[in-house]
Every structure is written in C-alpha cells, then in structure tokens.
Amino acid sequence: MRTQSQVNLEHALPITIDPMTEQETHWQLTALLTELLVQCRPGERIYLTEFFFEEQTVSSIMRRHQVSRRTVYNWRASLLVKAHKLYQQQTTN
C-alpha cells in the first residue's frame, strides 16, 4: 500500500525554503572579494587569485614567483587580516 511507504511530512511544515538567502550570501561574498582585491598588495593578490581561485599549492606559487615559503605564508597572513576586517565591517553595517 502506498501510504505505508510515504514519509510523514508533519516535521517538514516549519521548514522554509528561501532561495534569496543563498543569493544574498553569494552577493555578500562577491562584494567582500571585490573589496579585498582593491585593497590587496601585489603578493596578497597573487595568493588570493592563485591559491583560492586557481587552486594552486603553496609550493606551486613559490616556484612560479620565485619566493620563499615564508613569503607566501606572509601574503596569506596579511590577506586574512584584511579579509577579517572587511568581513567585520560588512556584518556591522
């Protein structure tokens, strides 16, 4: 009998699906990344684009730009500080 295998939807009633929430999150992330790129120094921009967007490894970035591992990590650290500040500004506005 079909009714025996159907899922009880009683618990699904309070669930709301808001497709705009996902879109708004995407817009916020896009705005954050756009502002971050504007504020980046050259090394930070390299790290942001190559590590996050192109999915390059730290070793690959080191070889490509002929810099030390420490330099790449410094780029990452300063980039994360800027990203955190921008995120804090966005969430308080």
Side-chain angles (χ1 to χ4, degrees):
M1 180 175 257
R2 182 176 163 91
T3 56
Q4 290 176 345
S5 64
Q6 289 180 335
V7 175
N8 183 348
L9 296 179
E10 177 182 334
H11 299 291
L13 291 175
I15 298 173
T16 59
I17 299 173
D18 185 1
M20 286 308 293
T21 301
E22 185 176 326
Q23 186 61 44
E24 288 170 0
T25 301
H26 176 75
W27 289 332
Q28 286 176 326
L29 181 58
T30 300
L32 176 68
L33 289 173
T34 301
E35 183 62 31
L36 190 55
L37 278 169
V38 168
Q39 293 186 17
C40 282
R41 294 189 322 246
E44 297 164 343
R45 183 181 302 263
I46 288 169
Y47 187 83
L48 179 64
T49 56
E50 293 185 19
F51 186 81
F52 288 107
F53 299 141
E54 297 174 15
E55 299 180 357
Q56 297 295 312
T57 64
V58 170
S59 298
S60 172
I61 296 169
M62 289 169 46
R63 283 191 304 275
R64 182 183 226 174
H65 299 281
Q66 299 178 346
V67 296
S68 70
R69 182 173 299 276
R70 173 60 31 213
T71 296
V72 176
Y73 287 147
N74 287 341
W75 291 345
R76 179 183 67 184
S78 58
L79 179 68
L80 292 175
V81 167
K82 287 179 181 177
H84 180 72
K85 286 180 184 176
L86 283 173
Y87 179 76
Q88 292 300 319
Q89 288 172 358
Q90 278 190 351
T91 58
T92 57
N93 291 335

XYZ file of all heavy atoms in Angstrom:
781
model
N 0.841 -1.172 0.000
C 0.000 0.000 0.000
C 0.896 1.248 0.000
O 1.847 1.342 0.745
C -0.910 -0.043 1.227
C -1.824 1.139 1.329
S -2.959 0.969 2.709
C -4.407 0.526 1.823
N 0.589 2.209 -0.812
C 1.416 3.400 -0.987
C 1.523 4.241 0.276
O 2.585 4.760 0.587
C 0.865 4.228 -2.141
C 1.682 5.453 -2.437
C 1.127 6.175 -3.649
N 1.641 7.510 -3.701
C 2.742 7.877 -4.333
N 3.435 6.977 -4.979
N 3.148 9.104 -4.333
N 0.492 4.409 1.030
C 0.524 5.289 2.205
C 1.477 4.776 3.275
O 1.988 5.555 4.065
C -0.882 5.459 2.806
O -1.404 4.171 3.105
C -1.793 6.201 1.856
N 1.748 3.503 3.304
C 2.662 2.956 4.303
C 4.106 3.358 4.028
O 4.899 3.477 4.943
C 2.555 1.436 4.339
C 1.247 0.951 4.913
C 1.155 -0.558 4.842
O 1.924 -1.205 4.131
N 0.187 -1.128 5.566
N 4.468 3.581 2.787
C 5.849 3.925 2.456
C 6.076 5.425 2.325
O 7.195 5.855 2.102
C 6.265 3.234 1.157
O 5.473 3.718 0.088
N 5.035 6.199 2.472
C 5.202 7.649 2.363
C 5.797 8.216 3.641
O 5.569 7.709 4.739
C 3.865 8.328 2.065
C 3.367 8.059 0.675
C 2.038 8.742 0.408
O 1.279 9.017 1.318
N 1.774 8.993 -0.858
N 6.533 9.281 3.496
C 7.168 9.952 4.630
C 6.157 10.876 5.286
O 5.432 11.604 4.606
C 8.397 10.763 4.150
C 8.999 11.557 5.282
C 9.407 9.840 3.520
N 6.139 10.853 6.592
C 5.276 11.747 7.346
C 5.822 13.169 7.214
O 6.965 13.448 7.597
C 5.244 11.326 8.811
C 4.298 12.167 9.636
O 3.818 13.208 9.182
N 4.025 11.731 10.838
N 5.046 14.065 6.678
C 5.507 15.433 6.418
C 5.212 16.393 7.568
O 5.440 17.593 7.451
C 4.876 15.958 5.124
C 5.274 15.206 3.863
C 4.576 15.807 2.651
C 6.776 15.247 3.674
N 4.764 15.875 8.677
C 4.435 16.721 9.813
C 5.619 17.589 10.253
O 5.473 18.754 10.565
C 3.990 15.842 10.990
C 3.699 16.609 12.250
C 3.318 15.667 13.384
O 2.811 14.569 13.122
O 3.556 16.049 14.528
N 6.830 17.024 10.247
C 8.009 17.767 10.691
C 8.552 18.699 9.610
O 9.389 19.541 9.887
C 9.086 16.799 11.148
C 8.650 15.945 12.294
N 8.430 16.451 13.545
C 8.349 14.625 12.354
C 8.023 15.485 14.351
N 7.963 14.356 13.645
N 8.098 18.546 8.397
C 8.568 19.395 7.308
C 7.807 20.716 7.244
O 8.255 21.663 6.613
C 8.431 18.676 5.977
N 6.682 20.811 7.901
C 5.866 22.027 7.838
C 6.608 23.284 8.281
O 6.502 24.315 7.631
C 4.572 21.844 8.638
C 3.585 20.851 8.034
C 2.392 20.666 8.973
C 3.119 21.293 6.675
N 7.383 23.265 9.382
C 8.054 24.502 9.801
C 9.276 24.880 8.965
O 9.841 25.949 9.131
C 8.454 24.229 11.243
C 8.470 22.754 11.383
C 7.525 22.201 10.354
N 9.694 24.017 8.058
C 10.871 24.303 7.235
C 10.484 25.276 6.122
O 9.520 25.059 5.400
C 11.446 23.015 6.615
C 11.909 22.069 7.714
C 12.575 23.334 5.638
C 12.332 20.706 7.208
N 11.249 26.349 6.024
C 11.017 27.292 4.933
C 12.214 27.269 4.004
O 13.349 27.141 4.433
C 10.802 28.722 5.453
O 11.958 29.110 6.192
C 9.575 28.823 6.327
N 11.941 27.390 2.758
C 12.996 27.419 1.753
C 13.030 28.827 1.192
O 12.047 29.312 0.641
C 12.735 26.386 0.639
C 12.706 24.984 1.250
C 13.775 26.501 -0.464
C 12.286 23.898 0.298
N 14.176 29.460 1.366
C 14.320 30.843 0.921
C 15.460 30.922 -0.086
O 16.621 31.019 0.297
C 14.594 31.752 2.115
C 14.627 33.228 1.739
O 14.418 33.547 0.548
O 14.864 34.048 2.621
N 15.147 30.867 -1.367
C 16.219 30.901 -2.372
C 16.994 32.216 -2.366
O 18.140 32.267 -2.785
C 15.480 30.695 -3.698
C 14.063 31.034 -3.429
C 13.823 30.778 -1.970
N 16.387 33.279 -1.863
C 17.088 34.574 -1.836
C 18.199 34.585 -0.799
O 19.182 35.299 -0.956
C 16.109 35.712 -1.564
C 15.231 36.050 -2.757
S 16.166 36.352 -4.289
C 17.024 37.847 -3.857
N 18.082 33.789 0.260
C 19.126 33.751 1.272
C 20.446 33.309 0.664
O 21.483 33.911 0.912
C 18.723 32.813 2.421
O 17.509 33.288 2.984
C 19.785 32.757 3.494
N 20.397 32.269 -0.152
C 21.615 31.787 -0.810
C 22.158 32.841 -1.763
O 23.366 33.079 -1.819
C 21.333 30.488 -1.565
C 22.575 29.883 -2.159
C 22.319 28.541 -2.820
O 21.467 27.784 -2.332
O 22.983 28.274 -3.835
N 21.296 33.501 -2.511
C 21.730 34.539 -3.447
C 22.335 35.722 -2.702
O 23.360 36.258 -3.118
C 20.552 35.005 -4.312
C 20.951 35.980 -5.396
C 21.943 35.397 -6.388
O 21.806 34.282 -6.839
N 22.958 36.159 -6.726
N 21.741 36.117 -1.595
C 22.271 37.233 -0.804
C 23.641 36.904 -0.231
O 24.533 37.751 -0.214
C 21.299 37.603 0.312
C 20.050 38.298 -0.214
C 18.962 38.446 0.843
O 19.165 38.005 1.993
O 17.903 39.003 0.489
N 23.825 35.666 0.204
C 25.131 35.232 0.699
C 26.163 35.308 -0.419
O 27.286 35.762 -0.205
C 25.039 33.795 1.252
O 24.080 33.773 2.314
C 26.376 33.307 1.757
N 25.775 34.893 -1.606
C 26.670 34.962 -2.767
C 27.053 36.418 -3.070
O 28.207 36.725 -3.324
C 26.003 34.309 -3.977
C 26.794 34.421 -5.234
N 27.925 33.664 -5.468
C 26.637 35.208 -6.321
C 28.423 33.992 -6.644
N 27.661 34.909 -7.187
N 26.068 37.311 -3.014
C 26.343 38.729 -3.268
C 27.277 39.308 -2.210
O 28.168 40.087 -2.532
C 25.044 39.529 -3.308
C 24.203 39.261 -4.519
C 24.623 38.855 -5.754
C 22.789 39.378 -4.606
N 23.555 38.707 -6.600
C 22.418 39.030 -5.937
C 21.795 39.744 -3.709
C 21.096 39.042 -6.360
C 20.483 39.745 -4.153
C 20.134 39.404 -5.452
N 27.083 38.927 -0.956
C 27.951 39.420 0.113
C 29.380 38.945 -0.098
O 30.332 39.709 0.072
C 27.449 38.952 1.478
C 26.227 39.680 1.962
C 25.719 39.115 3.273
O 25.810 37.913 3.522
N 25.180 39.976 4.104
N 29.538 37.677 -0.462
C 30.871 37.136 -0.702
C 31.525 37.825 -1.892
O 32.704 38.169 -1.850
C 30.796 35.623 -0.935
C 32.123 34.918 -1.183
C 33.084 35.127 -0.017
C 31.899 33.439 -1.435
N 30.758 38.050 -2.947
C 31.290 38.739 -4.122
C 31.739 40.157 -3.764
O 32.816 40.602 -4.173
C 30.235 38.784 -5.247
O 29.888 37.435 -5.592
C 30.753 39.506 -6.475
N 30.943 40.857 -2.984
C 31.296 42.214 -2.556
C 32.559 42.196 -1.701
O 33.448 43.043 -1.864
C 30.142 42.848 -1.795
N 32.650 41.226 -0.803
C 33.830 41.111 0.060
C 35.079 40.852 -0.769
O 36.107 41.518 -0.590
C 33.627 39.989 1.076
C 34.806 39.685 1.993
C 35.046 40.837 2.960
C 34.575 38.398 2.761
N 35.004 39.919 -1.699
C 36.167 39.600 -2.531
C 36.556 40.765 -3.432
O 37.747 41.027 -3.630
C 35.899 38.345 -3.363
C 35.854 37.044 -2.564
C 35.406 35.898 -3.460
C 37.200 36.742 -1.936
N 35.573 41.471 -3.961
C 35.860 42.629 -4.810
C 36.588 43.709 -4.018
O 37.600 44.249 -4.471
C 34.555 43.193 -5.403
O 33.921 42.158 -6.165
C 34.817 44.390 -6.285
N 36.102 43.996 -2.828
C 36.746 44.999 -1.976
C 38.125 44.526 -1.530
O 39.068 45.308 -1.468
C 35.871 45.298 -0.757
C 36.412 46.383 0.141
C 36.546 47.745 -0.533
O 35.754 48.049 -1.438
O 37.460 48.513 -0.145
N 38.247 43.256 -1.248
C 39.535 42.707 -0.836
C 40.565 42.845 -1.956
O 41.705 43.238 -1.712
C 39.362 41.244 -0.437
C 40.528 40.551 0.237
C 40.987 41.304 1.475
C 40.154 39.121 0.591
N 40.164 42.549 -3.174
C 41.093 42.694 -4.307
C 41.557 44.130 -4.474
O 42.712 44.375 -4.817
C 40.436 42.192 -5.601
C 40.488 40.697 -5.818
C 39.590 40.284 -6.977
C 41.916 40.230 -6.066
N 40.674 45.087 -4.210
C 41.040 46.502 -4.318
C 42.114 46.864 -3.293
O 43.024 47.629 -3.571
C 39.784 47.400 -4.128
C 40.165 48.857 -3.951
C 38.837 47.223 -5.297
N 42.023 46.285 -2.099
C 42.936 46.622 -1.010
C 44.228 45.805 -0.993
O 45.140 46.108 -0.237
C 42.227 46.434 0.334
C 41.104 47.404 0.568
C 40.538 47.277 1.961
O 41.143 46.714 2.862
N 39.345 47.816 2.139
N 44.296 44.758 -1.810
C 45.453 43.863 -1.782
C 46.727 44.514 -2.292
O 46.709 45.262 -3.271
C 45.183 42.634 -2.663
S 44.134 41.409 -1.939
N 47.821 44.161 -1.629
C 49.144 44.450 -2.177
C 49.423 43.361 -3.212
O 48.720 42.344 -3.256
C 50.187 44.446 -1.059
C 49.985 45.578 -0.058
C 51.141 45.713 0.933
N 51.697 44.440 1.364
C 51.637 43.964 2.598
N 51.018 44.634 3.542
N 52.194 42.811 2.909
N 50.435 43.544 -4.056
C 50.671 42.571 -5.143
C 50.794 41.116 -4.681
O 50.189 40.217 -5.277
C 51.962 43.070 -5.781
C 51.942 44.548 -5.533
C 51.318 44.711 -4.176
N 51.549 40.853 -3.635
C 51.713 39.478 -3.159
C 50.415 38.893 -2.637
O 50.122 37.715 -2.848
N 49.640 39.705 -1.946
C 48.350 39.248 -1.436
C 47.412 38.897 -2.587
O 46.682 37.914 -2.537
C 47.718 40.326 -0.548
C 48.513 40.637 0.688
C 48.107 41.933 1.351
O 47.429 42.767 0.712
O 48.478 42.124 2.514
N 47.465 39.695 -3.627
C 46.629 39.430 -4.812
C 47.046 38.109 -5.466
O 46.205 37.331 -5.887
C 46.755 40.586 -5.802
C 45.873 40.440 -7.030
C 46.052 41.609 -7.977
N 45.752 42.867 -7.325
C 44.582 43.495 -7.398
N 43.621 42.966 -8.119
N 44.390 44.632 -6.779
N 48.342 37.877 -5.537
C 48.842 36.616 -6.089
C 48.279 35.454 -5.280
O 47.746 34.488 -5.827
C 50.387 36.582 -6.089
C 50.938 37.528 -7.157
C 50.902 35.156 -6.300
C 52.436 37.774 -7.061
N 48.389 35.545 -3.959
C 47.910 34.455 -3.111
C 46.402 34.258 -3.278
O 45.933 33.133 -3.439
C 48.259 34.714 -1.643
C 47.917 33.533 -0.782
C 48.799 32.466 -0.685
C 46.704 33.452 -0.127
C 48.478 31.347 0.074
C 46.373 32.338 0.633
C 47.268 31.296 0.730
O 46.942 30.184 1.471
N 45.664 35.343 -3.245
C 44.210 35.259 -3.356
C 43.792 34.597 -4.666
O 42.995 33.662 -4.682
C 43.576 36.643 -3.244
C 42.058 36.712 -3.362
C 41.396 35.956 -2.217
C 41.594 38.158 -3.374
N 44.348 35.062 -5.755
C 43.914 34.537 -7.050
C 44.449 33.134 -7.320
O 43.707 32.267 -7.786
C 44.320 35.471 -8.201
O 45.733 35.678 -8.166
C 43.601 36.801 -8.104
N 45.702 32.898 -6.995
C 46.285 31.607 -7.348
C 45.919 30.498 -6.366
O 45.692 29.361 -6.771
C 47.796 31.725 -7.501
C 48.155 32.586 -8.693
C 49.645 32.654 -8.980
O 50.403 31.781 -8.505
O 50.046 33.589 -9.685
N 45.856 30.795 -5.088
C 45.541 29.750 -4.121
C 44.045 29.473 -4.080
O 43.608 28.333 -4.164
C 46.039 30.130 -2.725
C 45.872 29.035 -1.708
C 46.786 27.995 -1.635
C 44.800 29.035 -0.839
C 46.631 26.975 -0.711
C 44.632 28.018 0.093
C 45.556 26.989 0.163
N 43.246 30.519 -3.964
C 41.809 30.322 -3.802
C 41.074 30.114 -5.118
O 40.191 29.269 -5.202
C 41.186 31.488 -3.037
C 41.541 31.486 -1.580
C 42.427 32.409 -1.074
C 41.003 30.547 -0.721
C 42.767 32.403 0.268
C 41.328 30.529 0.625
C 42.220 31.463 1.119
N 41.409 30.870 -6.143
C 40.651 30.779 -7.391
C 41.216 29.731 -8.347
O 40.480 29.012 -8.995
C 40.573 32.133 -8.086
C 39.885 33.192 -7.264
C 40.354 34.486 -7.254
C 38.779 32.891 -6.489
C 39.721 35.465 -6.497
C 38.142 33.852 -5.725
C 38.616 35.151 -5.733
N 42.537 29.658 -8.434
C 43.162 28.700 -9.356
C 43.545 27.402 -8.661
O 44.024 26.469 -9.305
C 44.392 29.335 -10.005
C 44.058 30.550 -10.860
C 45.305 31.256 -11.393
O 46.401 30.663 -11.352
O 45.173 32.398 -11.844
N 43.370 27.348 -7.332
C 43.645 26.161 -6.516
C 45.078 25.661 -6.663
O 45.332 24.453 -6.708
C 42.632 25.061 -6.822
C 41.211 25.481 -6.509
C 40.188 24.403 -6.816
O 40.553 23.324 -7.337
O 39.006 24.651 -6.524
N 46.027 26.598 -6.711
C 47.439 26.254 -6.772
C 47.951 25.963 -5.348
O 47.466 26.511 -4.376
C 48.251 27.403 -7.373
C 47.888 27.740 -8.795
C 48.217 26.596 -9.731
O 49.301 26.034 -9.692
N 47.262 26.233 -10.575
N 48.940 25.121 -5.247
C 49.548 24.817 -3.948
C 50.531 25.924 -3.572
O 50.964 26.712 -4.425
C 50.303 23.487 -3.991
O 51.398 23.625 -4.910
C 49.389 22.345 -4.412
N 50.883 25.950 -2.297
C 51.885 26.912 -1.835
C 53.190 26.688 -2.589
O 53.843 27.637 -3.029
C 52.085 26.807 -0.303
C 53.289 27.618 0.149
C 50.828 27.260 0.424
N 53.580 25.439 -2.759
C 54.815 25.121 -3.490
C 54.777 25.633 -4.920
O 55.767 26.159 -5.432
C 55.049 23.607 -3.501
O 55.207 23.131 -2.193
N 53.643 25.488 -5.563
C 53.493 25.965 -6.930
C 53.631 27.488 -7.000
O 54.283 28.023 -7.893
C 52.131 25.524 -7.467
O 51.874 26.111 -8.712
N 53.018 28.176 -6.055
C 53.117 29.645 -6.011
C 54.563 30.066 -5.766
O 55.065 31.002 -6.394
C 52.175 30.219 -4.932
C 50.712 29.926 -5.290
C 52.398 31.724 -4.759
C 49.719 30.223 -4.177
N 55.247 29.349 -4.878
C 56.660 29.644 -4.595
C 57.503 29.550 -5.864
O 58.291 30.450 -6.171
C 57.213 28.639 -3.571
C 56.712 28.786 -2.179
S 57.163 27.361 -1.126
C 58.882 27.107 -1.527
N 57.339 28.446 -6.580
C 58.138 28.232 -7.797
C 57.807 29.262 -8.871
O 58.697 29.821 -9.507
C 57.900 26.823 -8.341
C 58.616 25.737 -7.582
C 58.567 24.400 -8.309
N 57.210 23.955 -8.604
C 56.431 23.278 -7.751
N 56.867 22.988 -6.545
N 55.219 22.905 -8.102
N 56.526 29.499 -9.056
C 56.090 30.404 -10.124
C 56.623 31.827 -9.928
O 57.001 32.500 -10.882
C 54.580 30.426 -10.185
C 54.025 31.294 -11.276
C 52.524 31.307 -11.203
N 51.974 31.118 -12.515
C 50.704 30.979 -12.766
N 49.835 30.959 -11.799
N 50.277 30.848 -13.991
N 56.663 32.267 -8.666
C 57.063 33.653 -8.382
C 58.444 33.756 -7.757
O 58.871 34.859 -7.394
C 56.001 34.314 -7.496
C 54.673 34.365 -8.175
N 54.367 35.303 -9.133
C 53.589 33.557 -8.077
C 53.141 35.088 -9.580
N 52.644 34.031 -8.956
N 59.116 32.631 -7.640
C 60.478 32.561 -7.114
C 60.600 33.272 -5.770
O 61.443 34.164 -5.575
C 61.474 33.116 -8.141
C 61.447 32.334 -9.425
C 62.381 32.899 -10.467
O 62.873 34.013 -10.356
N 62.618 32.115 -11.505
N 59.730 32.861 -4.845
C 59.749 33.398 -3.485
C 59.804 32.233 -2.505
O 59.564 31.087 -2.864
C 58.510 34.275 -3.192
C 58.491 35.512 -4.087
C 57.224 33.481 -3.339
N 60.108 32.555 -1.262
C 60.197 31.517 -0.229
C 58.804 31.135 0.283
O 57.830 31.869 0.100
C 61.045 32.019 0.939
O 60.345 33.034 1.638
N 58.767 30.001 0.955
C 57.527 29.537 1.587
C 57.064 30.580 2.609
O 55.883 30.883 2.716
C 57.772 28.186 2.256
C 56.544 27.588 2.892
C 56.819 26.176 3.391
N 57.203 25.262 2.329
C 56.352 24.607 1.536
N 55.059 24.759 1.709
N 56.786 23.804 0.594
N 57.993 31.137 3.372
C 57.671 32.155 4.375
C 56.988 33.356 3.716
O 56.028 33.904 4.255
C 58.949 32.576 5.107
C 58.821 33.736 6.052
C 57.862 33.638 7.226
N 57.636 32.347 7.793
C 56.464 31.951 8.321
N 55.432 32.750 8.326
N 56.330 30.757 8.829
N 57.459 33.768 2.548
C 56.852 34.903 1.841
C 55.405 34.598 1.487
O 54.519 35.433 1.702
C 57.653 35.239 0.567
O 58.970 35.656 0.960
C 56.996 36.344 -0.234
N 55.159 33.407 0.966
C 53.786 33.031 0.604
C 52.906 33.021 1.856
O 51.776 33.515 1.840
C 53.748 31.677 -0.123
C 52.313 31.247 -0.420
C 54.544 31.746 -1.423
N 53.427 32.480 2.955
C 52.655 32.466 4.201
C 52.411 33.881 4.731
O 51.368 34.166 5.302
C 53.344 31.611 5.253
C 53.238 30.127 4.976
C 54.265 29.270 5.330
C 52.119 29.575 4.363
C 54.174 27.908 5.092
C 52.023 28.220 4.111
C 53.050 27.390 4.479
O 52.954 26.046 4.231
N 53.369 34.771 4.544
C 53.173 36.179 4.945
C 52.076 36.824 4.105
O 51.261 37.592 4.628
C 54.473 36.970 4.827
C 55.464 36.626 5.910
O 55.107 36.074 6.952
N 56.727 36.932 5.673
N 52.064 36.535 2.807
C 50.995 37.048 1.944
C 49.642 36.564 2.454
O 48.688 37.324 2.555
C 51.175 36.570 0.508
C 52.344 37.148 -0.234
C 53.086 38.244 0.103
C 52.906 36.658 -1.452
N 54.070 38.454 -0.822
C 53.983 37.502 -1.792
C 52.604 35.585 -2.282
C 54.749 37.310 -2.935
C 53.374 35.388 -3.420
C 54.431 36.243 -3.746
N 49.588 35.275 2.782
C 48.335 34.698 3.276
C 47.904 35.354 4.586
O 46.736 35.711 4.753
C 48.491 33.197 3.483
C 47.220 32.547 4.034
C 47.381 31.095 4.315
N 48.311 30.895 5.410
C 48.716 29.720 5.831
N 48.283 28.619 5.255
N 49.549 29.603 6.839
N 48.837 35.514 5.511
C 48.506 36.086 6.817
C 47.969 37.505 6.693
O 46.939 37.851 7.294
C 49.737 36.062 7.724
N 48.627 38.338 5.900
C 48.170 39.720 5.757
C 46.847 39.788 4.998
O 45.986 40.623 5.293
C 49.242 40.591 5.083
O 49.584 40.089 3.814
N 46.650 38.881 4.051
C 45.387 38.816 3.315
C 44.234 38.434 4.253
O 43.165 39.041 4.212
C 45.491 37.799 2.172
C 44.247 37.600 1.334
C 43.938 38.856 0.524
C 44.424 36.414 0.407
N 44.473 37.476 5.118
C 43.434 37.047 6.054
C 43.075 38.138 7.058
O 41.905 38.285 7.426
C 43.857 35.763 6.773
C 43.928 34.521 5.882
C 44.467 33.331 6.657
C 42.574 34.206 5.274
N 44.064 38.924 7.474
C 43.785 40.049 8.379
C 42.874 41.053 7.678
O 41.880 41.512 8.252
C 45.106 40.726 8.837
C 44.837 42.062 9.508
C 45.873 39.808 9.773
N 43.186 41.377 6.439
C 42.348 42.320 5.679
C 40.950 41.756 5.459
O 39.954 42.472 5.588
C 42.999 42.646 4.333
C 44.201 43.548 4.457
C 44.828 43.828 3.118
C 46.050 44.714 3.334
N 46.760 44.988 2.115
N 40.863 40.476 5.118
C 39.558 39.847 4.887
C 38.719 39.876 6.159
O 37.524 40.161 6.114
C 39.746 38.411 4.401
N 39.355 39.616 7.288
C 38.625 39.626 8.560
C 38.087 41.023 8.875
O 36.930 41.176 9.274
C 39.539 39.139 9.694
C 38.880 39.128 11.025
N 37.918 38.216 11.365
C 39.032 39.935 12.100
C 37.504 38.456 12.587
N 38.169 39.487 13.062
N 38.909 42.031 8.663
C 38.459 43.414 8.910
C 37.289 43.788 8.005
O 36.304 44.383 8.445
C 39.618 44.397 8.703
C 40.629 44.379 9.808
C 41.744 45.368 9.540
C 42.820 45.272 10.606
N 43.961 46.154 10.318
N 37.402 43.437 6.730
C 36.312 43.743 5.786
C 35.027 43.008 6.162
O 33.941 43.569 6.097
C 36.730 43.360 4.362
C 37.671 44.315 3.665
C 38.142 43.731 2.338
C 36.997 45.657 3.440
N 35.177 41.751 6.565
C 34.001 40.976 6.962
C 33.334 41.599 8.181
O 32.107 41.711 8.231
C 34.402 39.529 7.235
C 33.237 38.680 7.663
C 32.300 38.247 6.727
C 33.055 38.315 8.994
C 31.203 37.481 7.110
C 31.971 37.559 9.386
C 31.053 37.137 8.449
O 29.978 36.383 8.827
N 34.129 42.025 9.138
C 33.592 42.663 10.337
C 32.850 43.954 9.959
O 31.778 44.247 10.505
C 34.700 42.969 11.352
C 35.312 41.739 11.962
C 34.308 40.896 12.709
O 33.445 41.407 13.414
N 34.389 39.590 12.549
N 33.402 44.719 9.035
C 32.737 45.951 8.589
C 31.413 45.645 7.906
O 30.424 46.334 8.109
C 33.645 46.720 7.625
C 34.829 47.366 8.276
C 35.805 47.952 7.266
O 35.609 47.844 6.059
N 36.867 48.558 7.761
N 31.384 44.597 7.084
C 30.157 44.237 6.373
C 29.068 43.767 7.320
O 27.900 44.072 7.126
C 30.429 43.121 5.349
C 31.001 43.606 4.057
C 31.009 42.519 3.008
O 30.739 41.351 3.288
N 31.341 42.878 1.787
N 29.448 43.022 8.357
C 28.442 42.480 9.254
C 27.913 43.515 10.238
O 26.835 43.336 10.785
C 28.972 41.254 10.024
O 30.135 41.632 10.772
C 29.276 40.112 9.078
N 28.648 44.613 10.448
C 28.164 45.650 11.358
C 27.369 46.728 10.627
O 26.707 47.544 11.255
C 29.329 46.310 12.124
O 30.270 46.855 11.209
C 29.991 45.297 13.046
N 27.454 46.750 9.322
C 26.698 47.755 8.544
C 25.312 47.282 8.219
O 24.901 46.240 8.228
C 27.433 48.106 7.238
C 28.702 48.867 7.515
O 28.844 49.529 8.533
N 29.644 48.775 6.607
